[in-house]
Amino acid sequence: MQTTGWEEEFREYVRTRGPALLRAAHQLTGHPLDAEDLLQNALTKTYLAWDRIEDRGALDGYVRRAMVNINISQWRRRKLEEYPSDDLPEIVTDSVAWGDVHERLEQALEELPERMRAAIVLRYYEDMTEPEIARKLGISVGTVKSTVSRGMAKLRTALGLGG
C-alpha cells in the first residue's frame, strides 16, 4: 500500500510520541485498556484533522485536548445511561447466614456487662432516647452515651466488624 508524505509523518509521530500519550491517557482513565481505547480515538481524530494542523509543535496539545474531550463525552454518556427508579430491586438473602448473625449477636449481647447490655437493648431494640434510658436506669445522659458507645464497640469486635 502506497502512503503519502503526511501519512508517514503521522506514523512517525505516533511511533515517537505514542508511549507518552498513552501515559497521559492512563492518567485520565485510570485503567490501561480504557487508556488504549481513549488514545486510539484521539489519534483517529488527529489523523482526520492532520492536514488542518499547521503547527506540528502543538500536536501533543491537540491530542491531549482530544483525549480530555472524548473522556468527558464518554463519562457523560455513561451517566445518562443510569436512570433512577421508583422501585428498589428485590434483594435475595440467605436466611441461614442472617440467622447465624442473629445468634452471634445474641451471644455477644449476653457477654456484655448488665448495665451495658440494658443500655444497648433499650436504645436499639426499644428505640428509647438517651434521656429516657438515663431515667429508666437511674444514670446520667453522659453515662448512657459512653456506655452505649463502649458496648457497640465491643459488639463490633465480637462480630468481627472492627472496633
Side-chain angles (χ1 to χ4, degrees), residues 52-119:
R52 293 189 311 267
I53 302 172
E54 294 175 9
D55 184 7
R56 296 294 192 233
L59 282 171
D60 279 4
Y62 182 91
V63 175
R64 289 174 196 267
R65 172 50 53 195
M67 286 191 299
V68 168
N69 291 343
I70 292 166
N71 196 44
I72 290 171
S73 295
Q74 290 173 344
W75 177 78
R76 286 180 180 153
R77 219 172 299 133
R78 278 192 301 266
K79 273 209 111 45
L80 291 176
E81 292 172 358
E82 298 175 9
Y83 298 101
S85 172
D86 290 334
D87 300 322
L88 292 175
E90 184 176 327
I91 299 173
V92 179
T93 59
D94 183 15
S95 60
V96 175
W98 284 109
D100 182 48
V101 170
H102 181 73
E103 288 175 23
R104 290 176 44 214
L105 177 60
E106 290 294 323
Q107 182 181 1
L109 272 170
E110 289 174 10
E111 294 173 4
L112 292 177
E114 188 175 326
R115 185 168 73 177
M116 191 175 284
R117 181 175 55 247

Side-chain angles (χ1 to χ4, degrees), residues 5-73:
W6 70 267
E7 287 175 326
E8 190 53 44
E9 186 182 8
F10 177 79
R11 284 186 180 162
E12 184 58 29
Y13 171 74
V14 172
R15 267 193 296 274
T16 57
R17 299 299 303 147
L21 293 170
L22 184 59
R23 284 191 297 275
H26 189 265
Q27 288 174 338
L28 283 170
T29 63
H31 190 275
L33 297 177
D34 290 339
E36 289 176 6
D37 290 342
L38 179 62
L39 178 58
Q40 185 66 42
N41 288 335
L43 288 174
T44 299
K45 287 186 178 289
T46 305
Y47 178 83
L48 295 173
W50 190 262
D51 59 337
R52 293 189 311 267
I53 302 172
E54 294 175 9
D55 184 7
R56 296 294 192 233
L59 282 171
D60 279 4
Y62 182 91
V63 175
R64 289 174 196 267
R65 172 50 53 195
M67 286 191 299
V68 168
N69 291 343
I70 292 166
N71 196 44
I72 290 171
S73 295

